[in-house]
Each structure stands twice: as structure tokens, then as C-alpha cells.
Amino acid sequence: MAQKIDVTKHVLVPAHTVVSEKEKKKIIEKYNLKGIELPRIFKDDPAVAHLKAKPGDIIKITRKSSTAGESVFYRRVTSA
Amino acid sequence: MHEALKPYVGKLPRSILEEIEEKCPASKIKKVAEKALEEYNTAMIAPGEAVGLISAESIGEPGTQMTLDTFHFAGVAEMNVTMGLPRIIEILDGRKTLATPMMEIFLKSPYNKGKDIRKCALLVKETTLGEIVTEFVIDIVDLKIEAKLDAEKMALLGLTPARLAKAVSKAKTLSKEASVKENKEGNLVLKLKGKEEKGLNDLYKLKETARDVYVCGIKGVTQVLPVKRKDEFIIITAGSNLKKVLDLDFVDPNRTMSNDIYEITENFGIEAARQAIIEEVFKVIEAQGLNVDIRHIMLVADTMCVSGAIKGITRYGVVSEKASVLARASFETPIKHVINAALAGEVDKLNSVVENVMLNQAVPVGTGLPGLVTKVKKGKLK
């Protein structure tokens, strides 16, 4: 009876992607980050589990927003 | 996208760009975009503005006008839904057990066009033995119970007496007490186990426990209600168990939802939970006919989801995450916080608002936020 569920296709789940090293530097510079200020996301969060992200990576989240059409948000991966 | 709009990508939000392109004649796009950017920048909230305070008041004031009652679905079957202020409190506190958990189950085609809708609904609902038994016949002589089964319901659920007997005998509450077998007429026979003398009382007790034995369906779902929404059928349930429901093969796993934020976090992650909080809170506010800007709710939802797990707006949730001892103490249970901080030797860096208010210092919001930046010239002072 069990069917395979692709969490990323659910209407509530926005697109998650791992940010590249180069882009990571850009983000840190743009927002003047000193390390841990970004909001967090667990590395075993259902929406990022398939990305195999390591703690310390930055996840780029492209949300569909009712006010701005599309908005970009960043979260830092943490282990549990 | 129009060529003239390209430089504005990243400066203006997408919805505005799309609107300009849609509504403006091509010749004027450049001018309109220029003006729009100017307007957008003046409308944007200023750095250092205390947005949390604005949100709190914007949600709080209309909140005083909300009803305190729970309502029924008007007309459609008897199903309780928490609405109004209690529901808002429930969401924002990050409660783990809801007063009225609910699911909206979307179905795959062809089931969403009404095919076997009753059957689907029944498969979702938690069924106990009592519901498919028409009569419990107690045999005083042999100390056994014969449960007469409702053949029609059995067929609808896809059960045979043999499978039912197996499912029932596995039940924890029953397995020690009695043995279960099916007989020739296709009914269940429950017989008391054990060597010691068992009386009539035990038999009656057995009957009552047997009634509540779980047979099939999804645990926790106490009511199901097939509803037509727009041009498809969905199933609304009382009771929530997303994980199990998503496993059913007639369920559309991409749209099915629960009103339990924790279940959503577990199954779809923190970003989905954020979206669910916004939608759930906004639904209540809209239903009450109030007018709160969705951005305020977004801010609250973001705050609740910052740590990667849901944190309610309580002293155990977001407040406990604050870095400053004084800020935590100013919310609730001050003595507990002060004592614990003293024991741990915590240092308060006075980086935020409340602690500076307490100490009568300039608060780092608005004009109090920026410090003075100056380049010191080398050389002698004249």
C-alpha cells in the first residue's frame, strides 16, 4: 500500500538548494555575517534530507510569496 | 520579460515587475519602472524600525474583537472546529496537542471525481470492532461471545472474517484475555483464556474491551467527511495522522494537509511549517472578517521557525532563546531566570531593547540604532 512520497513536490514546500562556496562568500559579505546569524535548518529536515547537506552549508530557499511574488531566504544547516 | 525591466530584477519584487509588464504599454515601461522603484524604496520599512512591535499591535488590536467560541461546520455534518482566538493562541503557542486536529485529504484521479469516495473515506477512518458487529451474543454456558458481523460493512472495508480474527487477536488489550476464532457462519467467537475460574463478569468486561478493539483504518481519525470543493472531492477528517495517510495509495501526497503544525514539520520540514502557520492564522483572521496584513503574520511565523524547529511564543519557546538574561526575566517567571543566570554566571551584553529600557539607556531601535562612524584624521590637533 505504501507509496513513495516526494516531499519536495508538496504545495507547502518551497524549493531548497545548497548554495555553492562562491555564492556563500557573496552572501556572507552582503549581509555582513559573522558566523551563526542565519536562521537554522536541521540537516535531517525532510525537505533537505535528499540534498545531503553538511552542517555549515547554506540552503537557499525560494519561496512563493503572496506579497512579493517570489522571495529568497537563507538558512544555515545544523546537525540536530 | 521586457528588455527595459531587466535592470530592475533584484531591485523590485517579482510581483511588481510582472504587474508593470502586464499593465503598461511597451513604450512607457522604462519610465514606469523608474517611478515604481522610487515609490518602492520610500515605502520600504526603514532600517532599525521596530517591526515586531508594529506586528504585535497590528495583530493584537483586531484580536480583541475575535470571538471566543468554537463553531460547528454550518449545515455540513457535525464536526467541531476550533476557530477564533483559541485557535490563534493554539498556533502561536506552538501547542503539540490540538483541541480539534483535522486533515484535508486530497485524492488522486479518478478518486477525486467521486469514484469509490465512500470506500476511500471508510478506509481512512479508524474502525473498531464495535462498528462492524451487529450483535454480541453472550453464551453463559460455554463462557464465550459470538460477534455477529455486518457483512455489508465488511465487504466495503475489504475484510474477511479470517483476516478480521487475526487482526483482533493481535490487539494488546485482548490477546491476554481471550482467544479469537471465526466460526462456520462467518462470525467471530471470543473465548476467555486462562486456567483460573472466570465468571460472567469477566465475560461482560471482555465484551466491552472487544468493542473498542482497533480493526483497520488510520489510528486517530475519528470522523470522516467527503466534501465537494470546487470540482473535486476531498475528505475532511477529525483527527490527524499525516504520516499514515500519505502512505495510502489513493491519496494525493502533494496537496494533503493537516492543521497540526508539528505533523507538518515532521513530514515536510520547517519551511512547510512556516507556510502552514501563515495560512492557518490568516484563515482564522479572514474568517472573523478582520483585516490584518499578512506580512505581520509572516514575521511571527518566521520568528517561530528560526531555530529549525517550531518554537511557540511562550517562555519555553522563543523567549527562552533570547541571549539576554534581563530580557528573559522581563517576560515571565523573572526570579527563575535571574537565579539560573546567577548560578551559570551569565553575562548580559545589553544588545537588545528590553534590557536597555530596564537600565534607562538608549535603546537600539530607530534612531538609537546607528553608532557614529568617523574617520580620524592623522596629524596634530590645531
Side-chain angles (χ1 to χ4, degrees), chain B residues 2 9 13 22 67 76 130 138 140 142 148 193 196 217 221 226 241-242 250 254 257 313 322 346 356 375 381:
Chain B
H2 195 274
V9 175
E22 192 187 311
T67 46
V76 195
I138 294 180
I140 305 172
D142 291 336
K148 292 195 170 149
K193 254 193 219 167
E196 353 64 281
V221 178
N241 193 340
L242 256 188
F250 55 84
N254 297 335
M257 253 178 257
I313 316 279
K322 289 192 178 184
E346 264 183 70
N356 282 304
K375 270 183 191 161
L381 283 170

Side-chain angles (χ1 to χ4, degrees), chain A residues 1-3 5 7 9-14 16 39-42 45-47 61 63 66-70 75, chain B residues 13-15 108 246-248 251 253-254 256-257 266-272 274 294-295 302 305-306 308 321:
Chain A
M1 258 226 288
Q3 58 176 340
I5 303 153
V7 176
K9 293 219 172 90
H10 195 271
V11 283
L12 286 176
V13 183
H16 292 62
R40 285 160 275 163
I41 189 166
F42 295 133
D45 190 279
I61 296 152
R63 293 168 175 166
S66 59
T67 50
E70 193 174 77
R75 279 179 190 272
Chain B
R14 197 168 168 148
S15 54
K108 277 182 185 159
L246 292 174
D247 274 344
L248 295 173
V251 170
N254 297 335
T256 297
M257 253 178 257
E266 225 169 86
N267 289 291
F268 302 122
I270 191 71
E271 276 295 317
R274 184 199 92 108
I294 198 165
R295 291 170 186 86
D302 270 332
C305 297
V306 161
E321 299 254 303

Side-chain angles (χ1 to χ4, degrees), chain B residues 369-375:
Chain B
L369 183 64
L372 185 62
V373 180
T374 175
K375 270 183 191 161

